[in-house]
Amino acid sequence: MDATKPSLTFALLEQKIEAMPEGPVSALSSPRWVRVLNTVGWAGIVIGLLPSLLLLWFAPQLWMVTLSRVGLVLTLAFFPYLLRTVWLVIYEFVNSRQQFVEQFDHDVAQLRRVSQWLLAYPRDVLEDQLRYAKMAQERLVSKLGLLVGGMDKLGLLPLCLSLFVVLRNWRDLLALPAWLSILALFAAILWMISWLGAHFRLRLHLYESVLAAALANVGAAKADVPTETALPTSPAGYTAHRITSLDSLEALYGQPVERALRKQIDQLNADYQAFVHASPFVVLASAGDEGLDCSPRGDAPGFVQVLDARTLALPDRPGNNRVDTLRNLLQDPRLSLLFLIPGIGETLRVNGRAEIRVDPELLARFAVGERLPRSVIVVHIEAVYFHCARAIVRSQLWDPARHLPRDRLPSPGTMHAHLADGAFDADAYDRELPQRTRDSLY
């Protein structure tokens, strides 16, 4: 297993399961607000019944009355839970087939993705996790048996009993007989234990299912990832594995989190426009019949102009005159821009389609003195999103202490001389280069 890959834990597995999107019958999964109201309502029953029990040892006090009334109010939080349960029963009865079949298909596909993600871990790790899940399931069943017996088979009956006792005597909960308070409180506590236990058992069963599915397919997954001969620079016996399918790729990396998908939009909002205005440097990627090109473009901040929320324009300043980017754009208008800002970790990527324009009024927008660009690349935006700062942080790109002295690397003249087999005056080229660069910037 890759040393950089996080260890497989149940917390990580739970995170993957929680990230699964909802299916067509999303009402079948309990949202957080239902669980919260359920807990609040249960606490209300306990708080409402507790004062009547305290009367066995203490004289009646005003705070006991207040406490019982607070419990009564909190108990009302149960009603959304109960109404939702009844509605789900009716919903299931009315939509008994088609949508639930679609839900099953959805769940199978999503759980298959989780199982494929697990294939990236060794068999012994998966077997250990499966063994622990089964052991936890057995221990939970044993403990629930000791605590509540078969109470979970009674469903909502214990809860309804407790609710009936509280609501039936809502005018004066302190007047409840002690035995009735004990019975109702006992039923409420046992129901909550059963409710929590059922949720834990279902989750553990889900862990077992995906782990077992991954183990069943681990051999097939290995066969699905073809290998090639050892790399020339690899140690003897080392074999490089290749990813050859989307399923294998997604099994290795999993699904992106929701916020990573949310940050992609089809236009420049105010935040993204601020990045464009502040950027003095952009990398332009293109592709054509003759191959790929990745070209650096730079000027004063804001040299890439925002014509509107869906359109950018950047001048084509003097360069080496190979015009690789422009050739590519004539063959394939798709391009990608990566905006960088010195000192800022985040970067902005813009994908779109380009056209090469020579409109006089457009060229004039990018004039520097009397010098105009020969052309302007107009980008019609299709997707925009920002990259997090991890790459910049890892590289320490903006840290002056990490900047190399120029003489640590071959000079441009030296590289030209090597490419020309020595038939090139490297020293003269390097001496003249700074002035030549200044004279040809625009």
Side-chain angles (χ1 to χ4, degrees):
M1 186 179 70
D2 187 353
T4 62
K5 189 174 184 63
S7 300
L8 180 59
T9 62
F10 286 110
L12 184 59
L13 181 56
E14 175 68 18
Q15 181 181 345
K16 292 292 181 182
I17 293 174
E18 283 293 314
M20 294 191 310
E22 292 282 7
V25 194
S26 58
L28 290 179
S29 58
S30 297
R32 182 179 296 274
W33 66 267
V34 170
R35 298 196 295 268
V36 170
L37 289 181
N38 192 14
T39 305
V40 171
W42 175 83
I45 291 178
V46 175
I47 293 173
L49 293 172
L50 190 59
S52 62
L53 293 179
L54 294 177
L55 290 178
L56 294 174
W57 298 280
F58 303 100
Q61 301 288 334
L62 181 60
W63 63 267
M64 293 182 181
V65 177
T66 303
L67 189 63
S68 64
R69 290 176 178 174
V70 170
L72 180 63
V73 172
L74 294 179
T75 301
L76 299 178
F78 256 129
F79 282 92
Y81 167 74
L82 294 174
L83 291 175
R84 183 176 181 275
T85 302
V86 173
W87 176 78
L88 284 178
V89 173
I90 298 174
Y91 184 88
E92 182 176 357
F93 179 78
V94 175
N95 304 277
S96 56
R97 287 196 177 181
Q98 185 59 37
Q99 284 188 305
F100 281 87
V101 170
E102 294 175 1
Q103 177 69 38
F104 296 150
D105 290 338
H106 170 272
D107 291 345
V108 168
Q110 294 301 322
L111 293 176
R112 184 181 294 120
R113 288 179 180 272
V114 177
S115 297
Q116 290 172 343
W117 166 74
L118 288 169
L119 293 178
Y121 290 92
R123 172 182 285 274
D124 59 338
V125 173
L126 297 178
E127 289 175 343
D128 286 343
Q129 295 297 103
L130 179 58
R131 183 166 56 254
Y132 295 147
K134 289 182 177 180
M135 182 175 65
Q137 178 86 283
E138 293 172 358
R139 292 177 60 187
L140 180 61
V141 170
S142 299
K143 290 181 178 180
L144 287 176
L146 291 173
L147 288 173
V148 299
M151 182 68 75
D152 56 330
K153 295 180 174 59
L154 297 179
L156 291 175
L157 184 59
L159 175 63
C160 292
L161 172 63
S162 299
L163 280 174
F164 175 78
V165 170
V166 171
L167 298 178
R168 176 68 175 79
N169 301 275
W170 67 273
R171 294 180 183 276
D172 189 5
L173 287 175
L174 294 181
L176 276 175
W179 68 268
L180 189 57
S181 296
I182 293 174
L183 177 62
L185 189 60
F186 185 70
I189 293 175
L190 290 184
W191 178 84
M192 176 55 76
I193 295 175
S194 300
W195 183 73
L196 292 174
H199 279 73
F200 288 143
R201 288 173 61 183
L202 288 174
R203 187 58 85 187
L204 286 172
H205 182 69
L206 184 57
Y207 294 159
E208 289 184 38
S209 298
V210 294
L211 287 166
L215 280 170
N217 294 321
V218 68
K222 289 183 178 179
D224 185 53
V225 182
T227 60
E228 57 185 14
T229 57
L231 297 174
T233 57
S234 300
Y238 177 81
T239 303
H241 295 269
R242 292 185 300 167
I243 299 296
T244 59
S245 69
L246 286 176
D247 287 342
S248 298
L249 183 66
E250 291 177 353
L252 179 62
Y253 283 91
Q255 297 299 310
V257 296
E258 191 273 338
R259 63 178 179 274
L261 301 175
R262 183 177 60 236
K263 65 184 181 181
Q264 177 174 326
I265 56 179
D266 61 359
Q267 59 183 304
L268 292 167
N269 62 14
D271 296 332
Y272 289 169
Q273 288 189 34
F275 262 80
V276 175
H277 292 316
S279 174
F281 185 81
V282 62
V283 180
L284 191 162
S286 62
D289 296 341
E290 298 177 2
L292 306 175
D293 181 67
C294 194
S295 173
R297 305 294 172 114
D299 209 329
F303 78 99
V304 177
Q305 295 186 12
V306 179
L307 302 185
D308 57 54
R310 297 180 184 273
T311 314
L312 292 175
L314 65 153
D316 188 57
R317 301 295 188 192
N320 53 28
N321 216 38
R322 287 173 54 112
V323 293
D324 293 327
T325 296
L326 302 183
R327 293 177 189 274
N328 283 345
L329 294 178
L330 289 176
Q331 299 166 5
D332 185 342
R334 293 177 299 169
L335 86 171
S336 186
L337 303 171
L338 184 67
F339 290 86
L340 290 89
I341 304 172
I344 302 299
E346 290 73 25
T347 56
L348 185 73
R349 185 193 293 190
V350 176
N351 296 338
R353 295 178 181 270
E355 55 179 329
I356 304 170
R357 303 292 295 267
V358 291
D359 312 41
E361 62 275 11
L362 192 56
L363 296 176
R365 295 175 65 117
F366 298 95
V368 176
E370 297 181 354
R371 298 186 179 183
L372 301 176
R374 291 189 179 182
S375 64
V376 173
I377 300 174
V378 175
V379 181
H380 301 285
I381 296 171
E382 295 178 345
V384 189
Y385 53 97
F386 75 92
H387 291 276
C388 72
R390 289 189 184 92
I392 302 296
V393 171
R394 284 192 293 259
S395 65
Q396 301 180 50
L397 184 63
W398 308 129
D399 183 0
R402 303 280 294 181
H403 294 176
L404 284 178
R406 185 62 189 87
D407 58 7
R408 291 278 298 275
L409 292 174
S411 69
T414 300
M415 289 187 282
H416 276 297
H418 290 162
L419 293 170
D421 293 329
F424 187 85
D425 190 342
D427 292 337
Y429 183 87
D430 288 336
R431 277 195 311 271
E432 299 168 359
L433 181 59
Q435 185 61 47
R436 186 166 57 249
T437 299
R438 287 191 293 270
D439 293 342
S440 60
L441 282 177
Y442 300 99

